[in-house]
Amino acid sequence: MRQVTFFLSCILLSAFGLMACEEKQVVNSKPYTGPQQETYDVQVVYSDSGHKVIRMVTPVQLDLLTGDRIFPKEIRLYFYDKAGTEHTWLRADSGRYIRMQNLYRMIGHVKIENRIKQETLETDELFWSPDRKRIYTDRPVTSRTPTGVTNGTGLVATQDFKQYGLGKVRNSQMQVNDLPE
């Protein structure tokens, strides 16, 4: 009897063992949302009629399935005139390209400098529209020129920062040289 009980126990245990070893299919309910591609030491040149207009430099670019691009580290844009001379640059801590709007969003310690006019602008978020060739923000901005500093909220500028307008000006300090007597 003991042998029959032992034999039946072995059969039952092996049956349960086989059931435990069945292959189970795991279904991942969340779709992959990470980058499709990672590119390092990126330098992209935008040209118009064979002339370099803008050069973008960033250490990392993540391309998403949507066509959007994330720049998790510093991003720099250099703007050139028709003679190929760099006149303006823009830098930010990070950025994002939104494909559906053809729009770049620059984030964190954003700074623009027009070297010809010796003017700078600082803000914490800025948008660049290549289609409209405009730079804009609704955030607080600080504009510095050789003659003063202006603080305001909001900005609209040409992409080369040659012309710009501030939104609501909070305060301005200007140096005036030749006052009439």
Side-chain angles (χ1 to χ4, degrees):
M1 188 67 173
R2 280 186 173 186
Q3 290 179 345
V4 172
T5 307
F6 177 75
F7 181 71
L8 287 175
S9 297
C10 287
I11 291 175
L12 286 174
L13 287 174
S14 63
F16 284 121
L18 288 176
M19 290 177 67
C21 294
E22 277 185 24
E23 196 173 312
K24 293 185 181 181
Q25 196 174 37
V26 177
V27 178
N28 187 358
S29 62
K30 294 181 181 180
Y32 178 72
T33 58
Q36 179 180 8
Q37 177 176 307
E38 295 180 18
T39 310
Y40 298 93
D41 299 322
V42 177
Q43 287 201 39
V44 178
V45 175
Y46 298 88
S47 62
D48 184 12
S49 303
H51 297 286
K52 179 169 41 175
V53 179
I54 300 167
R55 182 171 56 104
M56 181 183 72
V57 178
T58 187
V60 180
Q61 174 179 303
L62 307 176
D63 295 342
L64 304 181
L65 294 170
T66 61
D68 289 5
R69 294 182 205 123
I70 296 174
F71 310 101
K73 298 189 181 231
E74 181 183 60
I75 180 170
R76 287 183 176 260
L77 298 174
Y78 300 92
F79 297 89
Y80 298 86
D81 62 18
K82 291 185 185 204
T85 305
E86 178 191 317
H87 57 77
T88 302
W89 59 263
L90 181 151
R91 64 102 27 227
D93 290 343
S94 63
R96 183 177 187 117
Y97 170 71
I98 305 158
R99 185 185 66 84
M100 293 296 288
Q101 299 172 338
N102 191 25
L103 185 68
Y104 287 82
R105 178 180 178 219
M106 308 299 184
I107 308 161
H109 298 100
V110 181
K111 185 174 182 179
I112 304 171
E113 181 180 317
N114 181 318
R115 293 183 175 168
I116 296 167
K117 292 179 161 184
Q118 297 178 340
E119 295 178 344
T120 62
L121 178 120
E122 296 176 19
T123 187
D124 63 352
E125 180 183 53
L126 193 76
F127 294 91
W128 168 47
S129 171
D131 289 341
R132 295 177 24 214
K133 297 182 180 178
R134 294 275 182 234
I135 294 172
Y136 60 92
T137 186
D138 60 357
R139 300 292 185 113
V141 294
T142 299
S143 172
R144 299 179 198 285
T145 67
T147 59
V149 177
T150 303
N151 294 301
T153 302
L155 164 94
V156 176
T158 56
Q159 74 180 6
D160 57 12
F161 194 54
K162 287 183 178 178
Q163 298 176 346
Y164 66 93
L166 294 176
K168 299 175 187 172
V169 175
R170 290 191 311 268
N171 63 29
S172 183
Q173 300 172 357
M174 296 291 173
Q175 174 183 339
V176 179
N177 288 332
D178 297 319
L179 286 175
E181 292 184 39

